[in-house]
Amino acid sequence: MTISRCMATFAAALSFCPLAAHAADFTVTSRAFASGRVQPAQFSDIMGCTGQNLSPDIHWSNAPEGTKSFVVTIYDKDAPTGSGWWHWVVVDLPADATSLPAGAGNGKAGIPEGARMTPTDMGAPGFLGACPPEGPEHDYTITVKALGIDRLPVPDNATPAMVGFVSNMNALATATISAKGKR
């Protein structure tokens, strides 16, 4: 590689640094996950669990310039399925949204106009709380993706895998927070 080509490559790489630095400031928080433990209210009220099935509060800040919408998911990578378990999927959150209140996944209250909940691994939209089998702790991760598109081009019945695929292709930045939970 010639020195001029090497310099051009280096300059091109540097041009992405301001976006990367700004994207690094993108954060997500949740009072329900602040202790690093899934709270009893966030556990399911079915399948042998006795929680309130209440979706956690989720707050995000410092989205990168050019953000046009958000996707929010909650995922358990440790579910004994071979592919994990999607507990909540919300797409098309508007660019001016910065939070979802506790309980927003249990109906439409608190979901901004135009946003959609797509099916979880239970096959229906809405929040399904944690309910791991007896045994080791599971890691529950809230992810917020800032997207460069207004609406995610997926049908209302899109699987979580499809939402993940299309949102990853359009993500400007991703922020996560995790908490542990067990019975």
Side-chain angles (χ1 to χ4, degrees):
M1 180 182 287
T2 66
I3 290 178
S4 61
R5 189 167 182 196
C6 183
M7 292 300 287
T9 302
F10 181 69
L14 282 178
S15 71
F16 292 108
C17 288
L19 177 61
H22 186 73
D25 296 334
F26 184 45
T27 58
V28 59
T29 60
S30 172
R31 288 184 294 278
F33 276 35
S35 69
R37 312 287 316 155
V38 175
Q39 300 304 302
Q42 276 73 56
F43 276 80
S44 173
D45 58 357
I46 62 171
M47 300 187 301
C49 286
T50 58
Q52 296 173 14
N53 199 51
L54 185 71
S55 62
D57 64 294
I58 302 171
H59 310 269
W60 56 93
S61 59
N62 300 317
E65 188 175 326
T67 297
K68 295 182 179 179
S69 68
F70 297 97
V71 168
V72 172
T73 60
I74 299 180
Y75 176 71
D76 171 8
K77 69 177 180 63
D78 300 315
T81 64
S83 62
W85 190 269
W86 295 95
H87 287 267
W88 196 21
V89 182
V90 186
V91 302
D92 300 338
L93 289 153
D96 62 352
T98 58
S99 66
L100 289 168
N106 305 95
K108 287 294 280 180
I111 301 288
E113 188 174 332
R116 304 178 282 155
M117 290 189 282
T118 60
T120 66
D121 280 335
M122 283 295 282
F127 176 76
L128 175 66
C131 191
E134 298 282 343
E137 290 184 314
H138 284 217
D139 187 50
Y140 297 88
T141 302
I142 297 171
T143 300
V144 180
K145 294 177 190 170
L147 306 182
I149 56 175
D150 293 324
R151 288 187 52 83
L152 202 63
V154 298
D156 289 343
N157 66 348
T159 64
M162 177 181 274
V163 169
F165 179 79
V166 177
S167 63
N168 284 338
M169 290 177 53
N170 292 284
L172 301 174
T174 301
T176 63
I177 184 173
S178 295
K180 302 282 187 187
K182 70 181 271 184
R183 277 204 240 183

